Amino acid sequence: MALKHANDETFDSMISNGLTLVDFWASWCGPCQMFGPIFESVSDQRSDVNFVKFEIDDVNRRTPAKFGIRSIPSVLAFVNGELKEARTGLMDEETLIQWIEELKG
């Protein structure tokens, strides 16, 4: 499934259906740059999960503030719009896939 990109205006509609993982990142963040290809690779493997990237920048401050994003990369897991779990820091592909399996239960 192709990655989608959200901003403050589109965020709520993009997390409203099913399991959605949102990667909060920034272009200046080294670990974010390392995690991006991992997130994209897993998105290609898992069509049963929505994968959304949210770039933290000067324009998109409301959503990260709402969820208390203080460190990036941070990945938040939502089910039908409800926050279920958050993880901060770089994850490898195996860890990300294992987390998805736990979330899908």
Side-chain angles (χ1 to χ4, degrees), residues 1 3 35-45 51 53 96:
M1 174 171 278
L3 286 176
F35 181 64
I38 294 167
F39 194 71
E40 185 170 357
S41 174
V42 175
S43 78
D44 290 339
Q45 299 172 43
F51 291 84
K53 292 186 69 76
L96 182 56

Side-chain angles (χ1 to χ4, degrees), residues 2-70:
L3 286 176
K4 297 176 184 170
H5 295 270
N7 58 40
D8 283 339
E9 286 71 39
T10 62
F11 185 81
D12 289 339
S13 67
M14 294 182 97
I15 64 165
S16 63
N17 293 316
L19 174 58
T20 304
L21 297 181
V22 182
D23 173 23
F24 287 87
W25 70 288
S27 59
W28 47 262
C29 166
C32 298
Q33 297 302 322
M34 294 167 52
F35 181 64
I38 294 167
F39 194 71
E40 185 170 357
S41 174
V42 175
S43 78
D44 290 339
Q45 299 172 43
R46 299 297 302 248
S47 61
D48 58 330
V49 178
N50 300 311
F51 291 84
V52 175
K53 292 186 69 76
F54 191 104
E55 185 171 8
I56 296 173
D57 58 25
D58 291 338
V59 176
N60 293 305
R61 293 186 177 200
R62 189 175 66 238
T63 302
K66 177 181 176 181
F67 293 104
I69 303 297
R70 300 191 192 286

Side-chain angles (χ1 to χ4, degrees), residues 30-38 72-74 87-92 95:
C32 298
Q33 297 302 322
M34 294 167 52
F35 181 64
I38 294 167
I72 52 175
S74 287
R87 293 198 178 177
T88 300
L90 184 61
M91 284 184 272
D92 62 23
T95 301

